[in-house]
Amino acid sequence: MKKLIFLLTCFFIIEFAAHQLCAQSPSASATAKATATIVAPIKIAKTTDLSFGNIIAGSSSGTVKIETDNSRTHSGDVTLPTSSQGTITAARFTVSGLPNASYSIAVPASIIITREGGTEMMLVDNITTTPATSGTLSENGEQIINVGATLHVDANQEEGVYTNESGMTVTVAYQ
């Protein structure tokens, strides 16, 4: 009887060991987490309008240019009064978003401004920005964009205030 119990015990041990060896598989597994970070959307806000100041039209056409540093020059038959210059400013925008992020800048090729109360128009083109076509937000997530342009004044341009009611759209986007 002892031999039978011994044999049965050995049989069960061998069977258990064989089952354990066969139950192990040659594959392995690992687990990865999925993550996502939602960042602040890029924003832009106007702080200053583009203003060419007071201009005297001549008997032939001319241009007035506002640089991104607020300097003003002219060419052709226009006069820029020195004693009553009016407001002379490049447009200014504040961009905000993800700190240290790069972004692109897009401006229109041109806009038309129309005399208030009239139909006379002038072309504004050669729109430039500083920074030029892209920028990088600071560590606090902001940067200033300055916008300059060239105004085309026709011969004997009708006097009055000229504006573009729909404005000049400056678009920024993360790169």
Side-chain angles (χ1 to χ4, degrees):
M1 178 78 153
K2 284 186 181 181
K3 277 188 175 183
L4 181 59
I5 293 175
F6 176 73
L7 286 175
L8 286 173
T9 304
C10 287
F11 175 75
F12 284 120
I13 291 173
I14 292 170
E15 189 65 24
F16 179 75
H19 178 67
Q20 287 299 325
L21 290 175
C22 293
Q24 293 180 357
S25 112
S27 65
S29 298
T31 305
K33 291 182 181 179
T35 64
T37 304
I38 306 299
V39 299
I42 195 164
K43 295 179 184 177
I44 185 168
K46 179 205 62 156
T47 54
T48 306
D49 288 316
L50 174 64
S51 180
F52 291 92
N54 293 332
I55 302 163
I56 301 168
S59 58
S60 60
S61 64
T63 64
V64 177
K65 184 174 186 175
I66 299 293
E67 298 289 347
T68 58
D69 66 358
N70 296 320
S71 62
R72 179 172 79 156
T73 58
H74 72 283
S75 66
D77 195 14
V78 294
T79 302
L80 304 178
T82 55
S83 63
S84 181
Q85 296 182 1
T87 302
I88 302 166
T89 60
R92 186 178 181 122
F93 297 85
T94 301
V95 180
S96 59
L98 181 65
N100 302 310
S102 296
Y103 65 94
S104 62
I105 304 167
V107 294
S110 64
I111 60 170
I112 300 294
I113 58 176
T114 305
R115 186 173 68 83
E116 292 178 357
T119 59
E120 299 81 6
M121 297 180 278
M122 290 190 283
L123 173 69
V124 176
D125 65 1
N126 298 315
I127 299 169
T128 60
T129 64
T130 299
T133 58
S134 64
T136 302
L137 297 175
S138 67
E139 288 182 9
N140 69 352
E142 291 188 347
Q143 188 173 38
I144 300 298
I145 297 176
N146 292 316
V147 181
T150 301
L151 172 68
H152 296 267
V153 181
D154 288 337
N156 303 309
Q157 187 79 47
E158 185 73 28
E159 64 182 76
V161 175
Y162 288 73
T163 189
N164 176 348
E165 289 303 320
S166 61
M168 174 178 53
T169 302
V170 177
T171 303
V172 294
Y174 285 131
Q175 293 181 320

